[in-house]
Amino acid sequence: MKSKQEYRFGIGVPSMLMLFMILCLTTLAVLSFASSRADDKLTRRTQDMTLWYYEAAQGGQEKLRDLDAALMEMGTQAADAAAYEKLVADYALLQNMEFEEGILTWTEDAGGGRTLRLSVQVAAYGQAGQRYTLTQHTLTGPAHEYDGFY
Amino acid sequence: MEVTRKGRSAMVELLIAFLFFAISSVIILQVFAAGYSTSRDSTQRAQALTTAQGWAERLYAAQDIDALLAAEGWQHGQDEYLLTADDVTYSVAFAWEESAGGKLLCAQIAASNAAETLFTLPLARYVGEATP
């Protein structure tokens, strides 16, 4: 006796394989896209950090220009070394700088919680040559405290 | 009669499967293409940034910026020097600002591709004149 085979419309083995393949491809595509997006985000962050550093450095150089011009003027105004030092201290106070033992220090915001710290050694009163010497140009990051395992 | 019906059903199933496969493939390819494009842009941006940083440091240290740029193959444009490498055009514009105590170099290094300006890197260097 011949049994009658009924054809049922449904998902066969090839269709199942195809579905599996599409799922795999979709997963790969999404992972690839997510990875490239993450890379792009990181690159843009790096770019921003770099640009902020250069902007801070530019600000530092502009401050140096202003300081040099001011030191030049102070040199002509002051009668002696003590008066010169007093003028420099007043200038530091006005410009929100630190002045200690002949060294002027100030910071520039370099973005991302970083600061660019600049220090100059002010030359002695009446000394020929440069009016200051740059002694520090340091980028410092935010302080991190680790309380977990490395 | 039975065979014909079976064949038709199989054909319809195959057609639906192919259609689904085709549509899915198009969507997946678009996602892959978007990922590739983003990755390529990101690589280009990173390379341009590294190159611009290198030039910024060289300009900072240079005694004669015009001579340096001319020697390194930069083309002198209207107000700037131009260099094209890896589909990115770099431009350098600079000026010396005189001040009471010396002069300040103000420069900008811009990188751009065919679509947009990627970034502009500012650069400054102060050169003080010595007291006689």
Side-chain angles (χ1 to χ4, degrees):
Chain A
M1 233 172 102
K2 228 176 177 184
S3 64
K4 220 177 186 181
Q5 277 193 333
E6 194 185 329
Y7 187 84
R8 296 172 76 185
F9 186 80
I11 298 178
V13 174
S15 303
M16 290 285 279
L17 279 174
M18 187 202 66
L19 270 176
F20 179 69
M21 205 166 78
I22 284 172
L23 273 175
C24 288
L25 280 173
T26 307
T27 310
L28 278 176
V30 168
L31 283 175
S32 164
F33 185 69
S35 169
S36 60
R37 282 293 297 268
D39 279 352
D40 189 53
K41 204 175 165 186
L42 186 65
T43 304
R44 283 175 192 273
R45 178 74 179 155
T46 308
Q47 177 189 303
D48 288 344
M49 295 292 265
T50 307
L51 293 182
W52 287 332
Y53 166 73
Y54 276 91
E55 280 166 14
Q58 185 184 33
Q61 294 295 316
E62 284 168 359
K63 286 249 175 76
L64 275 180
R65 174 198 59 192
D66 298 342
L67 171 69
D68 199 29
L71 288 175
M72 198 176 179
E73 200 182 323
M74 288 173 213
T76 57
Q77 282 177 356
D80 55 17
Y84 182 65
E85 195 167 320
K86 173 81 173 58
L87 284 173
V88 175
D90 289 346
Y91 178 83
L93 199 67
L94 199 70
Q95 297 294 321
N96 207 16
M97 296 172 171
E98 292 169 25
F99 183 57
E100 207 172 313
E101 296 178 0
I103 296 174
L104 268 170
T105 305
W106 73 95
T107 56
E108 298 283 338
D109 180 26
R114 303 171 306 166
T115 49
L116 181 67
R117 192 173 176 83
L118 295 106
S119 296
V120 293
Q121 171 80 55
V122 179
Y125 173 71
Q127 188 180 312
Q130 295 293 331
R131 288 167 288 278
Y132 66 87
T133 309
L134 189 66
T135 56
Q136 189 184 26
H137 189 275
T138 315
L139 188 67
T140 53
H144 291 293
E145 288 181 12
Y146 296 100
D147 53 0
F149 295 103
Y150 285 100
Chain B
M1 193 73 172
E2 184 65 27
V3 173
T4 315
R5 200 188 305 160
K6 270 187 191 177
R8 271 190 198 151
S9 300
M11 189 64 81
V12 168
E13 185 186 344
L14 268 176
L15 271 175
I16 290 171
F18 275 129
L19 195 67
F20 181 66
F21 186 74
I23 292 168
S24 303
S25 298
V26 167
I27 293 168
I28 289 166
L29 275 176
Q30 278 181 345
V31 175
F32 268 122
Y36 173 73
S37 173
T38 308
S39 179
R40 194 190 51 196
D41 290 352
S42 174
T43 306
Q44 188 184 55
R45 188 178 288 274
Q47 280 178 347
L49 187 65
T50 309
T51 306
Q53 258 186 289
W55 279 109
E57 297 308 317
R58 291 185 73 179
L59 293 180
Y60 189 86
Q63 296 292 324
D64 187 346
I65 292 173
D66 287 296
L68 170 73
L69 294 175
E72 294 290 342
W74 289 68
Q75 301 297 313
H76 200 355
Q78 201 171 0
D79 295 321
E80 59 195 4
Y81 283 90
L82 297 167
L83 181 76
T84 304
D86 299 327
D87 297 330
V88 177
T89 302
Y90 302 92
S91 67
V92 170
F94 69 93
W96 286 96
E97 289 177 11
E98 297 285 338
S99 70
K103 54 186 183 174
L104 180 73
L105 166 71
C106 292
Q108 283 195 331
I109 304 172
S112 53
N113 59 17
E116 57 172 343
T117 299
L118 298 172
F119 55 83
T120 304
L121 201 70
L123 178 71
R125 175 170 62 124
Y126 178 68
V127 183
E129 284 167 11
T131 308

